Amino acid sequence: MSPEQAIAEVFGLYETHGTADYIGEPVSQIEHMSQAAQLAMAEGFDDEVVLAAFFHDIGHLCDEGGENMGGYGVVSHERLGADYLRRAGFSERMATLVEYHVQAKRYLTFSQPHYYARLSEASRRTLAYQGGVMSAEEARVFEQDPLCAVSLRMRYWDEQAKEMHVPVLDLEVLKLKAHRVLAAAAVG
């Protein structure tokens, strides 16, 4: 698949399904994803991280056959989305960050007891489908991962990206970033 085809397919999911309700939250899918990407951009992160923030919930949209989490999206959406992005030609780092946004939630509920209370009702309900709170051993392994710190930032953006009436980012900005990331992945 060429970079142009990948961009058309991946962003086509948002153009087709982006206005759908974001699973029990007061924003649409596209509003949530856009806000997460904007938060990453505001903190000065690179294109891969910004795109991972934007694509973190793409597994809910790509219809890769996951079962439903009791009306709160698709089971294993993080893995389904990461695999979808890998097949589209995106970098392993970016796909792994998409996959890790759920691991970060599990980690934070283990390492910061007050974190659970800050989760939205939808995020609390999905936690059980996502493996629940990490064990001490799982947390120790996750802390050693080089992507742990940025995964935790992504998790905070995920939680913050639920504000109503925030203008959606121009998708052309993200498409340009996607083109650069795909081009770099093709030569790397």
Side-chain angles (χ1 to χ4, degrees):
M1 175 180 320
S2 75
E4 291 75 21
Q5 290 170 315
I7 290 167
E9 181 179 312
V10 172
F11 282 91
L13 292 173
Y14 292 92
E15 291 158 0
T16 302
H17 306 290
T19 58
D21 174 56
Y22 177 58
I23 314 155
E25 303 291 356
V27 293
S28 68
Q29 291 278 357
I30 192 73
E31 289 169 325
H32 175 63
M33 303 306 170
S34 172
Q35 288 177 37
Q38 289 176 66
L39 289 164
M41 289 170 69
E43 290 187 29
F45 278 89
D46 63 64
D47 290 348
E48 286 181 323
V49 174
V50 171
L51 289 169
F54 183 75
F55 292 139
H56 76 273
D57 278 341
I58 198 169
H60 290 304
L61 304 178
C62 65
D63 195 24
E64 296 291 313
E67 66 179 275
N68 191 288
M69 290 187 288
Y72 290 96
V74 178
V75 173
S76 299
H77 76 282
E78 70 283 5
R79 182 182 46 76
L80 295 170
D83 289 346
Y84 174 79
L85 292 167
R86 287 180 183 108
R87 286 192 303 276
F90 286 98
S91 69
E92 182 59 31
R93 177 177 178 246
M94 195 186 98
T96 300
L97 287 169
V98 167
E99 195 161 0
Y100 279 6
H101 83 278
V102 167
Q103 295 304 320
K105 177 168 86 170
R106 295 182 62 229
Y107 174 82
L108 289 167
T109 55
F110 166 79
S111 65
Q112 298 178 14
H114 65 279
Y115 180 76
Y116 181 83
R118 293 196 336 241
L119 291 174
S120 68
E121 182 61 26
S123 287
R124 289 181 194 165
R125 288 181 180 252
T126 57
L127 182 62
Y129 289 97
Q130 297 165 334
V133 176
M134 272 191 178
S135 68
E137 177 59 23
E138 287 173 314
R140 187 188 63 71
V141 170
F142 188 64
E143 289 168 344
Q144 303 307 310
D145 193 292
L147 294 177
C148 178
V150 72
S151 297
L152 296 177
R153 287 303 313 141
M154 277 188 52
R155 188 67 217 175
Y156 284 115
W157 301 329
D158 185 2
E159 292 304 325
Q160 292 172 344
K162 298 173 183 175
E163 298 295 320
M164 294 171 48
H165 312 298
V166 174
V168 172
L169 187 61
D170 180 356
L171 291 186
E172 293 307 314
V173 170
L174 295 172
K175 288 178 182 180
L176 181 60
K177 291 179 180 299
H179 196 276
R180 286 193 299 254
V181 168
L182 286 166
V187 295

